[in-house]
Amino acid sequence: MRFTPQCLASSRLFLAPIFLNSPTPPPDKYRYIGPHAKRKREGEDVTIVVAGCVAQQEGQSLLRRVPEVDLVMGPQYANRISDLLEDVSNGNQVVATEAAHIMEDSTKPRRGSAVAAWVNVIYGCNERCTYCVVPTTRGVEQSRPVESIVREVEELVGRGYREVTLLGQNIDAYGRDMIPKRKFSDLLRTVGSIPGLDRLRFVTSHPRYMSLGVIDAVAETPSACENFHVPFQSGSNEVLAAMGRGHTREKYLQIIDRIRTRLPDASITADVIVGFPGETEEQFQETLSLMEEVVFDSANTAAYSPRPNTPAAEWDNQLSEEVKQDRLRRINELNLKHAGERRSRMMGRTAEVLVEERNVKKPTQVMGRTTHGFIVYFDGDIDELRGKLVNVEIDMCQTYYLCGKLVGVVEK
């Protein structure tokens, strides 16, 4: 990852604030700020904002290193950006990295489309995975009140949204910080019963806390999509222990077995890291064997990369880049094979698809998703079909998408 420049639209305060998002730092991270700092030194009227997890870690030290920066903000302040920019407009340099409690009136997650929306239900993470910066940058877990979540989803449905995805770094921990405690499975049932909501998804599940009751809630809630994202990170119990994941291979496979039993056609996706410090070839083979046993619809794969202020980054048993890249290549080959196999089962089926956007590569086609989360392309007029549920007969299956013919609009 690197600093990614993003120019926002004009606002009341600034014509072109420069946003640099910093999820994880490269060794030369300040190089990406340099060109904008130079513009400011030369007299150009720009406002420089550095945001994200690494901004959270750097804090005041970033301002000392690059005094041209106007605002350094952690991710927990994303919904309060207008207030922070107003403070900057008054001539102040601002560092917003302190732990912040949720402000309900500022919970406005980004909307990716006019059809499907994201809704945060829990912030922060209490886990201490040895490779991850999130716990030290996003604070402790804070669950939103059920009433607030329901109100937001009802408002979205009233504005025409057909699908909602509930978001949380560790969504299965929802409610355990509340008094009295609440269960995520109950939240799923409550939100899933909101009139007018056609589809409900959620991410991200943690095997340590994912209850079998969540799987039952999905199976028993008509609007809940048969789509689970459950990272496993490694198939080796020794590596999982070193990662601090708090679950075993056996626990993970128990979850998968319950999903396959209750929802045999469900799609299952995952995250996995290869080349973790000390990982042997035998332990890597255990990861490959878990993938063979499950056969994921897709997996987000990554070679281990040290993150600042994480325990694993300091260990002396780091693997070479050559070994990490070789393992990444091999796991990607298996991942592609399985993704193709899982989508091939859709051939000849008539699938319900929620139409989202135009196919940018072929404007005469539209793009939508099945309840499994599979992308589907087919001929159609986006102005007529956007936001509609339609039946599509699948006649082509590729590794990561499907194609088909429109059968008709689903009446609901």
Side-chain angles (χ1 to χ4, degrees):
M1 293 285 191
R2 66 181 187 181
F3 284 101
T4 306
Q6 300 171 328
C7 291
L8 300 189
S10 298
S11 71
R12 178 174 60 86
L13 297 172
F14 304 102
L15 291 178
I18 303 301
F19 277 71
L20 298 168
N21 181 38
S22 57
T24 54
D28 56 350
K29 56 192 173 186
Y30 295 105
R31 177 166 62 89
Y32 296 95
I33 308 177
H36 306 294
K38 183 174 183 292
R39 290 169 57 189
K40 192 165 188 175
R41 287 195 299 272
E42 291 175 348
E44 189 173 345
D45 187 14
V46 296
T47 299
I48 302 174
V49 179
V50 181
C53 291
V54 174
Q56 173 78 12
Q57 291 178 325
E58 298 275 331
Q60 288 281 357
S61 64
L62 197 151
L63 290 185
R64 289 194 292 271
R65 182 72 176 266
V66 189
E68 291 81 7
V69 170
D70 297 282
L71 168 61
V72 179
M73 55 177 280
Q76 70 272 31
Y77 284 88
N79 294 322
R80 296 165 64 181
I81 183 66
S82 61
D83 295 334
L84 298 176
L85 286 175
E86 185 171 0
D87 202 8
V88 170
S89 73
N90 291 328
N92 299 312
Q93 274 188 315
V94 180
V95 176
T97 56
E98 294 298 319
H101 290 287
I102 298 169
M103 303 292 290
E104 281 305 319
D105 59 354
S106 64
T107 305
K108 301 296 181 187
R110 193 172 183 174
R111 310 299 183 206
S113 75
V115 177
W118 299 340
V119 173
N120 289 306
V121 301
I122 180 171
Y123 297 83
C125 182
N126 289 0
E127 300 307 296
R128 288 295 180 267
C129 297
T130 57
Y131 55 83
C132 185
V133 299
V134 168
T136 58
T137 57
R138 298 195 178 181
V140 298
E141 292 164 353
Q142 296 182 62
S143 301
R144 291 180 62 195
V146 174
E147 298 77 14
S148 173
I149 296 167
V150 168
R151 184 167 57 249
E152 183 174 357
V153 175
E154 288 176 339
E155 290 174 357
L156 289 167
V157 171
R159 289 160 52 191
Y161 285 88
R162 306 293 297 272
E163 175 182 298
V164 162
T165 300
L166 305 181
L167 299 178
Q169 184 74 28
N170 178 7
I171 203 161
D172 301 284
Y174 176 82
R176 67 175 179 174
D177 59 316
M178 292 177 160
I179 301 175
K181 294 183 184 296
R182 294 180 179 269
K183 296 179 181 179
F184 178 60
S185 57
D186 292 337
L187 178 67
L188 270 179
R189 295 177 191 274
T190 299
V191 175
S193 66
I194 293 175
L197 179 64
D198 293 302
R199 288 187 174 182
L200 177 63
R201 303 183 190 274
F202 60 93
V203 289
T204 297
S205 295
H206 194 304
R208 182 176 184 178
Y209 299 103
M210 186 175 181
S211 72
L212 302 183
V214 169
I215 301 166
D216 293 338
V218 172
E220 296 162 10
T221 304
S223 62
C225 293
E226 49 190 336
N227 177 204
F228 297 85
H229 183 70
V230 193
F232 68 98
Q233 305 301 8
S234 174
S236 163
N237 284 338
E238 291 84 1
V239 174
L240 288 171
M243 288 178 167
R245 290 287 291 168
H247 68 88
T248 63
R249 175 192 180 104
E250 291 74 24
K251 169 67 184 297
Y252 187 86
L253 291 175
Q254 180 186 19
I255 293 169
I256 300 303
D257 182 67
R258 182 58 167 257
I259 294 172
R260 298 284 195 226
T261 300
R262 290 298 319 262
L263 294 157
D265 198 43
S267 62
I268 303 174
T269 59
D271 299 339
V272 56
I273 298 171
V274 300
F276 190 74
E279 181 190 64
T280 65
E281 176 63 24
E282 181 181 6
Q283 290 168 338
F284 172 65
Q285 289 296 326
E286 291 184 76
T287 294
L288 294 182
S289 72
L290 186 146
M291 290 189 67
E292 290 280 19
E293 187 168 347
V294 176
V295 186
F296 293 99
D297 292 84
S298 66
N300 300 318
T301 63
Y304 171 76
S305 177
R307 296 292 183 258
N309 302 320
T310 60
E314 306 299 324
W315 297 346
D316 58 8
N317 56 349
Q318 307 290 325
L319 304 188
S320 69
E321 283 301 315
E322 182 181 13
V323 169
K324 289 192 286 187
Q325 291 305 313
D326 174 66
R327 291 179 184 174
L328 183 62
R329 175 188 59 78
R330 285 187 280 163
I331 202 168
N332 280 339
E333 288 176 355
L334 185 60
N335 186 29
L336 287 171
K337 174 176 174 286
H338 288 167
E341 290 174 359
R342 292 292 290 169
R343 280 156 187 76
S344 66
R345 78 187 194 277
M346 300 297 292
M347 178 64 77
R349 288 194 195 183
T350 297
E352 185 183 86
V353 175
L354 177 60
V355 180
E356 297 182 20
E357 293 296 341
R358 191 190 312 275
N359 180 355
V360 294
K361 294 184 178 179
K362 191 174 182 181
T364 59
Q365 289 188 334
V366 298
M367 181 278 288
R369 297 175 197 272
T370 68
T371 55
H372 307 89
F374 297 157
I375 292 174
V376 181
Y377 297 112
F378 60 95
D379 290 335
D381 185 338
I382 188 60
D383 294 324
E384 293 182 4
L385 296 176
R386 181 185 282 113
K388 291 186 177 179
L389 288 166
V390 300
N391 285 324
V392 178
E393 183 179 345
I394 305 301
D395 58 19
M396 185 172 75
C397 301
Q398 297 295 324
T399 303
Y400 285 119
Y401 67 90
L402 309 170
C403 293
K405 296 182 179 66
L406 176 64
V407 175
V409 176
V410 177
E411 300 295 336
K412 286 202 173 183

mmCIF file with all atom_site columns, all heavy atoms in Angstrom, residues 11 42 61-62 82 95 149 206 281 293 297 299 348 412:
data_model
loop_
_atom_site.group_PDB
_atom_site.id
_atom_site.type_symbol
_atom_site.label_atom_id
_atom_site.label_alt_id
_atom_site.label_comp_id
_atom_site.label_asym_id
_atom_site.label_entity_id
_atom_site.label_seq_id
_atom_site.pdbx_PDB_ins_code
_atom_site.Cartn_x
_atom_site.Cartn_y
_atom_site.Cartn_z
_atom_site.occupancy
_atom_site.B_iso_or_equiv
_atom_site.pdbx_formal_charge
_atom_site.auth_seq_id
_atom_site.auth_comp_id
_atom_site.auth_asym_id
_atom_site.auth_atom_id
_atom_site.pdbx_PDB_model_num
ATOM 1   N N   . SER A 1 11  ? -15.846 22.419  -1.936  1.00 0.00 ? 11  SER A N   1
ATOM 2   C CA  . SER A 1 11  ? -16.647 22.550  -0.721  1.00 0.00 ? 11  SER A CA  1
ATOM 3   C C   . SER A 1 11  ? -16.734 24.024  -0.358  1.00 0.00 ? 11  SER A C   1
ATOM 4   O O   . SER A 1 11  ? -16.108 24.878  -0.967  1.00 0.00 ? 11  SER A O   1
ATOM 5   C CB  . SER A 1 11  ? -15.995 21.777  0.426   1.00 0.00 ? 11  SER A CB  1
ATOM 6   O OG  . SER A 1 11  ? -14.813 22.430  0.837   1.00 0.00 ? 11  SER A OG  1
ATOM 7   N N   . GLU A 1 42  ? 5.396   27.068  -2.691  1.00 0.00 ? 42  GLU A N   1
ATOM 8   C CA  . GLU A 1 42  ? 5.498   27.998  -3.828  1.00 0.00 ? 42  GLU A CA  1
ATOM 9   C C   . GLU A 1 42  ? 4.328   28.961  -3.896  1.00 0.00 ? 42  GLU A C   1
ATOM 10  O O   . GLU A 1 42  ? 4.201   29.726  -4.855  1.00 0.00 ? 42  GLU A O   1
ATOM 11  C CB  . GLU A 1 42  ? 5.611   27.187  -5.122  1.00 0.00 ? 42  GLU A CB  1
ATOM 12  C CG  . GLU A 1 42  ? 6.937   26.434  -5.240  1.00 0.00 ? 42  GLU A CG  1
ATOM 13  C CD  . GLU A 1 42  ? 6.993   25.537  -6.461  1.00 0.00 ? 42  GLU A CD  1
ATOM 14  O OE1 . GLU A 1 42  ? 5.923   25.323  -7.089  1.00 0.00 ? 42  GLU A OE1 1
ATOM 15  O OE2 . GLU A 1 42  ? 8.095   25.043  -6.777  1.00 0.00 ? 42  GLU A OE2 1
ATOM 16  N N   . SER A 1 61  ? 4.186   13.791  14.966  1.00 0.00 ? 61  SER A N   1
ATOM 17  C CA  . SER A 1 61  ? 5.501   13.637  14.329  1.00 0.00 ? 61  SER A CA  1
ATOM 18  C C   . SER A 1 61  ? 5.426   13.889  12.834  1.00 0.00 ? 61  SER A C   1
ATOM 19  O O   . SER A 1 61  ? 6.393   14.333  12.218  1.00 0.00 ? 61  SER A O   1
ATOM 20  C CB  . SER A 1 61  ? 6.054   12.231  14.607  1.00 0.00 ? 61  SER A CB  1
ATOM 21  O OG  . SER A 1 61  ? 5.244   11.246  14.011  1.00 0.00 ? 61  SER A OG  1
ATOM 22  N N   . LEU A 1 62  ? 4.264   13.622  12.232  1.00 0.00 ? 62  LEU A N   1
ATOM 23  C CA  . LEU A 1 62  ? 4.123   13.876  10.803  1.00 0.00 ? 62  LEU A CA  1
ATOM 24  C C   . LEU A 1 62  ? 4.154   15.378  10.524  1.00 0.00 ? 62  LEU A C   1
ATOM 25  O O   . LEU A 1 62  ? 4.765   15.832  9.549   1.00 0.00 ? 62  LEU A O   1
ATOM 26  C CB  . LEU A 1 62  ? 2.820   13.256  10.293  1.00 0.00 ? 62  LEU A CB  1
ATOM 27  C CG  . LEU A 1 62  ? 2.696   13.068  8.775   1.00 0.00 ? 62  LEU A CG  1
ATOM 28  C CD1 . LEU A 1 62  ? 1.794   11.879  8.462   1.00 0.00 ? 62  LEU A CD1 1
ATOM 29  C CD2 . LEU A 1 62  ? 2.155   14.306  8.092   1.00 0.00 ? 62  LEU A CD2 1
ATOM 30  N N   . SER A 1 82  ? -15.763 17.679  8.033   1.00 0.00 ? 82  SER A N   1
ATOM 31  C CA  . SER A 1 82  ? -16.153 19.077  7.804   1.00 0.00 ? 82  SER A CA  1
ATOM 32  C C   . SER A 1 82  ? -15.792 19.951  9.005   1.00 0.00 ? 82  SER A C   1
ATOM 33  O O   . SER A 1 82  ? -15.331 21.089  8.840   1.00 0.00 ? 82  SER A O   1
ATOM 34  C CB  . SER A 1 82  ? -17.644 19.177  7.491   1.00 0.00 ? 82  SER A CB  1
ATOM 35  O OG  . SER A 1 82  ? -18.411 18.688  8.571   1.00 0.00 ? 82  SER A OG  1
ATOM 36  N N   . VAL A 1 95  ? -4.353  17.918  14.542  1.00 0.00 ? 95  VAL A N   1
ATOM 37  C CA  . VAL A 1 95  ? -4.064  16.493  14.655  1.00 0.00 ? 95  VAL A CA  1
ATOM 38  C C   . VAL A 1 95  ? -5.240  15.843  15.373  1.00 0.00 ? 95  VAL A C   1
ATOM 39  O O   . VAL A 1 95  ? -5.497  16.146  16.542  1.00 0.00 ? 95  VAL A O   1
ATOM 40  C CB  . VAL A 1 95  ? -2.764  16.232  15.436  1.00 0.00 ? 95  VAL A CB  1
ATOM 41  C CG1 . VAL A 1 95  ? -2.544  14.727  15.607  1.00 0.00 ? 95  VAL A CG1 1
ATOM 42  C CG2 . VAL A 1 95  ? -1.576  16.859  14.728  1.00 0.00 ? 95  VAL A CG2 1
ATOM 43  N N   . ILE A 1 149 ? -29.182 1.738   14.024  1.00 0.00 ? 149 ILE A N   1
ATOM 44  C CA  . ILE A 1 149 ? -28.933 0.976   12.794  1.00 0.00 ? 149 ILE A CA  1
ATOM 45  C C   . ILE A 1 149 ? -30.231 0.780   12.026  1.00 0.00 ? 149 ILE A C   1
ATOM 46  O O   . ILE A 1 149 ? -30.292 0.993   10.808  1.00 0.00 ? 149 ILE A O   1
ATOM 47  C CB  . ILE A 1 149 ? -28.295 -0.386  13.140  1.00 0.00 ? 149 ILE A CB  1
ATOM 48  C CG1 . ILE A 1 149 ? -26.921 -0.176  13.791  1.00 0.00 ? 149 ILE A CG1 1
ATOM 49  C CG2 . ILE A 1 149 ? -28.181 -1.256  11.889  1.00 0.00 ? 149 ILE A CG2 1
ATOM 50  C CD1 . ILE A 1 149 ? -26.359 -1.419  14.455  1.00 0.00 ? 149 ILE A CD1 1
ATOM 51  N N   . HIS A 1 206 ? -15.199 -13.229 11.964  1.00 0.00 ? 206 HIS A N   1
ATOM 52  C CA  . HIS A 1 206 ? -13.971 -13.745 12.577  1.00 0.00 ? 206 HIS A CA  1
ATOM 53  C C   . HIS A 1 206 ? -14.268 -15.140 13.115  1.00 0.00 ? 206 HIS A C   1
ATOM 54  O O   . HIS A 1 206 ? -15.187 -15.315 13.926  1.00 0.00 ? 206 HIS A O   1
ATOM 55  C CB  . HIS A 1 206 ? -13.525 -12.830 13.712  1.00 0.00 ? 206 HIS A CB  1
ATOM 56  C CG  . HIS A 1 206 ? -12.124 -13.086 14.185  1.00 0.00 ? 206 HIS A CG  1
ATOM 57  N ND1 . HIS A 1 206 ? -11.697 -14.327 14.637  1.00 0.00 ? 206 HIS A ND1 1
ATOM 58  C CD2 . HIS A 1 206 ? -11.041 -12.266 14.270  1.00 0.00 ? 206 HIS A CD2 1
ATOM 59  C CE1 . HIS A 1 206 ? -10.422 -14.253 14.983  1.00 0.00 ? 206 HIS A CE1 1
ATOM 60  N NE2 . HIS A 1 206 ? -9.998  -13.018 14.772  1.00 0.00 ? 206 HIS A NE2 1
ATOM 61  N N   . GLU A 1 281 ? 7.522   -24.942 4.753   1.00 0.00 ? 281 GLU A N   1
ATOM 62  C CA  . GLU A 1 281 ? 6.844   -25.467 3.563   1.00 0.00 ? 281 GLU A CA  1
ATOM 63  C C   . GLU A 1 281 ? 5.723   -26.423 3.974   1.00 0.00 ? 281 GLU A C   1
ATOM 64  O O   . GLU A 1 281 ? 4.644   -26.428 3.351   1.00 0.00 ? 281 GLU A O   1
ATOM 65  C CB  . GLU A 1 281 ? 7.851   -26.186 2.660   1.00 0.00 ? 281 GLU A CB  1
ATOM 66  C CG  . GLU A 1 281 ? 7.236   -26.855 1.433   1.00 0.00 ? 281 GLU A CG  1
ATOM 67  C CD  . GLU A 1 281 ? 6.578   -25.897 0.466   1.00 0.00 ? 281 GLU A CD  1
ATOM 68  O OE1 . GLU A 1 281 ? 6.938   -24.694 0.453   1.00 0.00 ? 281 GLU A OE1 1
ATOM 69  O OE2 . GLU A 1 281 ? 5.684   -26.344 -0.288  1.00 0.00 ? 281 GLU A OE2 1
ATOM 70  N N   . GLU A 1 293 ? -9.901  -28.572 0.745   1.00 0.00 ? 293 GLU A N   1
ATOM 71  C CA  . GLU A 1 293 ? -11.014 -29.153 1.486   1.00 0.00 ? 293 GLU A CA  1
ATOM 72  C C   . GLU A 1 293 ? -12.265 -28.284 1.395   1.00 0.00 ? 293 GLU A C   1
ATOM 73  O O   . GLU A 1 293 ? -13.380 -28.791 1.269   1.00 0.00 ? 293 GLU A O   1
ATOM 74  C CB  . GLU A 1 293 ? -10.611 -29.348 2.953   1.00 0.00 ? 293 GLU A CB  1
ATOM 75  C CG  . GLU A 1 293 ? -11.641 -30.114 3.768   1.00 0.00 ? 293 GLU A CG  1
ATOM 76  C CD  . GLU A 1 293 ? -11.116 -30.549 5.125   1.00 0.00 ? 293 GLU A CD  1
ATOM 77  O OE1 . GLU A 1 293 ? -9.878  -30.471 5.341   1.00 0.00 ? 293 GLU A OE1 1
ATOM 78  O OE2 . GLU A 1 293 ? -11.931 -30.970 5.960   1.00 0.00 ? 293 GLU A OE2 1
ATOM 79  N N   . ASP A 1 297 ? -15.175 -19.854 -3.050  1.00 0.00 ? 297 ASP A N   1
ATOM 80  C CA  . ASP A 1 297 ? -15.630 -19.165 -4.257  1.00 0.00 ? 297 ASP A CA  1
ATOM 81  C C   . ASP A 1 297 ? -14.599 -18.135 -4.703  1.00 0.00 ? 297 ASP A C   1
ATOM 82  O O   . ASP A 1 297 ? -14.488 -17.849 -5.889  1.00 0.00 ? 297 ASP A O   1
ATOM 83  C CB  . ASP A 1 297 ? -16.981 -18.511 -3.996  1.00 0.00 ? 297 ASP A CB  1
ATOM 84  C CG  . ASP A 1 297 ? -18.066 -19.562 -3.803  1.00 0.00 ? 297 ASP A CG  1
ATOM 85  O OD1 . ASP A 1 297 ? -18.220 -20.062 -2.673  1.00 0.00 ? 297 ASP A OD1 1
ATOM 86  O OD2 . ASP A 1 297 ? -18.743 -19.895 -4.784  1.00 0.00 ? 297 ASP A OD2 1
ATOM 87  N N   . ALA A 1 299 ? -10.743 -16.142 -2.812  1.00 0.00 ? 299 ALA A N   1
ATOM 88  C CA  . ALA A 1 299 ? -9.985  -15.802 -1.610  1.00 0.00 ? 299 ALA A CA  1
ATOM 89  C C   . ALA A 1 299 ? -9.086  -14.612 -1.912  1.00 0.00 ? 299 ALA A C   1
ATOM 90  O O   . ALA A 1 299 ? -8.476  -14.541 -2.991  1.00 0.00 ? 299 ALA A O   1
ATOM 91  C CB  . ALA A 1 299 ? -9.144  -16.986 -1.148  1.00 0.00 ? 299 ALA A CB  1
ATOM 92  N N   . GLY A 1 348 ? -26.407 -22.602 -16.966 1.00 0.00 ? 348 GLY A N   1
ATOM 93  C CA  . GLY A 1 348 ? -27.757 -23.079 -17.251 1.00 0.00 ? 348 GLY A CA  1
ATOM 94  C C   . GLY A 1 348 ? -28.788 -22.695 -16.211 1.00 0.00 ? 348 GLY A C   1
ATOM 95  O O   . GLY A 1 348 ? -29.994 -22.875 -16.434 1.00 0.00 ? 348 GLY A O   1
ATOM 96  N N   . LYS A 1 412 ? -41.930 -7.850  -6.787  1.00 0.00 ? 412 LYS A N   1
ATOM 97  C CA  . LYS A 1 412 ? -41.955 -7.994  -5.332  1.00 0.00 ? 412 LYS A CA  1
ATOM 98  C C   . LYS A 1 412 ? -42.816 -6.912  -4.720  1.00 0.00 ? 412 LYS A C   1
ATOM 99  O O   . LYS A 1 412 ? -42.914 -5.825  -5.240  1.00 0.00 ? 412 LYS A O   1
ATOM 100 C CB  . LYS A 1 412 ? -40.520 -7.911  -4.762  1.00 0.00 ? 412 LYS A CB  1
ATOM 101 C CG  . LYS A 1 412 ? -39.695 -9.158  -5.025  1.00 0.00 ? 412 LYS A CG  1
ATOM 102 C CD  . LYS A 1 412 ? -38.550 -9.268  -4.026  1.00 0.00 ? 412 LYS A CD  1
ATOM 103 C CE  . LYS A 1 412 ? -37.814 -10.587 -4.160  1.00 0.00 ? 412 LYS A CE  1
ATOM 104 N NZ  . LYS A 1 412 ? -36.748 -10.761 -3.164  1.00 0.00 ? 412 LYS A NZ  1
#
